[in-house]
Amino acid sequence: MARRALKLASLTAAASGIYLFGNKFLDPSDFGVVRVGRTIATTALITYDYLTSLRSVPYGSEEYNFLKSQIKELFVSFEYTPLGAASLAQVHKAVLQDGRTVAVKIQHPKVQAQSSKDILLIEVLLLVVKQIFPDFEFMWLVEEAKKNLPLELDFLHEGRNAEKVADMFKNFDFLKVPRIYWELSSSRVLLMEFMEGGQVNDRAYMERNGIDVNEISRNLGKLYSEMIFVNGFVHCDPHPGNVLVKKCPASGKAHIILLDHGLYQVLSESFRMDYCRLWQALIKADMKRVQKYSRRLGAGDMYPLFACVVTARSWEAVNRGIDKSPVSASEDMEIRSNTATYLPQITQLLNNVPRQMLLLLKTNDLLRGIELALNTRASASSFLNMSRCCIRAVSKYQRSKSHSLYRKAQISLTEALSLWQISLYELFLWLKGSQLGNWVTALLRRRHHSMY
């Protein structure tokens, strides 16, 4: 059955060329010389592959009819216009013979053969740039591509990641991960449960469908805090096309749908603990510990810059406490200008930190972009969720290293008290922002004035 599905890779190849020119959401920047050149080259390559893949199968021949019958046997219907197309693959909606609606992810022809050549070309170009500009520090990009691209090209690996994360977060009733149909999948074609919804940064969609943006932002932060601090298994591509939201008609609850599981970062235990303690120090504005754990994560004397990069806040805000106030317009402008000013130092910093940090920084940036679109950036709830996850992760690690039952009980008690304090503070914030809290505050003020 998987082989039948694989035939779609050639029979639908031309659709990607059509999609490149049929996409109505064009941006003026798409008409740059480089982009136009790439579009023409990609379309020509796909079209050539489509024509040559069918050239050996004459139209109307016995083999042609056999292949056509195999695809008709597999699907009742198949939408040749892709729902989405990217550099590695495109996704089509189809209906199986048993009535199940599925998403069919098909790898573009020539991608596997071309990818090694592309990496080699990038490596050569970067070496040339390095010779011309000795301070150029981006050679690590090649190593990351060499490590990650083969994994992304193996759709069976993606399917295993999807099942792993679905099992890992099975207690999160707001999270939905498409089911994989293994009997119909291969390394280049992945069939999965079809799920649809609005993009996670589409505030207007959520308002139209009665979805609470604060709840979505809170749950997304909770999910990624668990991934990063507790499990050390992180979905590293949470751009809006891969994170959908939908309100369940039966329960009325809003679901987060997580797609594209090709790229995950597995964090080592030592890195994860240092990163946990760094965030605990950042939230508490404990600058001695910020310096300590930034250094342990490879920042060296550039720990102030590292703290700013990790939090996307100014050094003044880091010293004051990143949970004390949201990002202001002036601070945002300061961050933008400083990014350009300190680009050489940032480049050196990225070259020094562990490779695990690079995808986490990318993930953090994508999540902040979502929060910015939803206008929920740096909300108190996100820091509270992070604090809970850090406490749980560090306590679990400490218990695993202790052989004393008394010490383990002491760690568990400290953990419970810390989590209770966070819940109490969360209740205080809720009362402060609720109508009940406003009523109590007004009552106390009136009582205070009447006494004097």
Side-chain angles (χ1 to χ4, degrees), residues 1-53:
M1 296 291 281
R3 289 182 180 178
R4 295 179 192 172
L6 189 57
K7 298 294 183 182
L8 290 168
S10 58
L11 292 177
T12 61
S16 53
I18 296 169
Y19 180 76
L20 285 170
F21 291 104
N23 188 356
K24 60 184 178 181
F25 301 106
L26 293 176
D27 187 271
S29 62
D30 290 338
F31 293 97
V33 174
V34 175
R35 290 181 179 271
V36 170
R38 288 179 61 188
T39 301
I40 293 171
T42 302
T43 307
L45 182 63
I46 290 171
T47 305
Y48 174 78
D49 182 81
Y50 173 65
L51 292 173
T52 54
S53 64

Side-chain angles (χ1 to χ4, degrees), residues 200 215-224 243 256 367 370:
V200 71
E215 180 186 358
I216 292 297
S217 183
R218 184 169 58 250
N219 285 339
L220 190 63
K222 181 179 179 181
L223 172 63
Y224 271 86
V243 186
I256 294 176
L367 291 173
I370 293 170

Side-chain angles (χ1 to χ4, degrees), residues 181-223:
Y181 299 122
W182 292 107
E183 72 279 8
L184 299 171
S185 298
S186 72
S187 61
R188 287 185 56 214
V189 177
L190 189 66
L191 265 75
M192 61 200 112
E193 179 184 3
F194 178 78
M195 291 184 173
E196 60 184 341
Q199 292 192 354
V200 71
N201 64 341
D202 191 343
R203 187 183 180 97
Y205 168 87
M206 296 188 205
E207 290 174 350
R208 287 196 308 270
N209 290 274
I211 298 173
D212 185 351
V213 294
N214 292 299
E215 180 186 358
I216 292 297
S217 183
R218 184 169 58 250
N219 285 339
L220 190 63
K222 181 179 179 181
L223 172 63

Side-chain angles (χ1 to χ4, degrees), residues 88 168 209 236 242 283 308:
L88 298 182
M168 188 177 288
N209 290 274
C236 286
N242 289 339
I283 292 171
C308 294

Side-chain angles (χ1 to χ4, degrees), residues 63-92:
E63 185 179 0
Y64 180 93
N65 291 330
F66 173 74
L67 291 175
K68 190 174 179 181
S69 67
Q70 293 291 294
I71 294 174
K72 284 188 175 181
E73 183 181 333
L74 188 60
F75 299 109
V76 173
S77 65
F78 186 94
E79 295 184 8
Y80 284 92
T81 301
L83 298 171
S87 56
L88 298 182
Q90 59 194 51
V91 179
H92 298 259

Side-chain angles (χ1 to χ4, degrees), residues 382-399:
S382 65
F383 292 120
L384 293 175
N385 278 327
M386 289 175 67
S387 297
R388 283 192 180 97
C389 288
C390 288
I391 290 168
R392 287 170 45 221
V394 171
S395 298
K396 183 179 178 181
Y397 173 76
Q398 290 175 336
R399 280 192 296 268

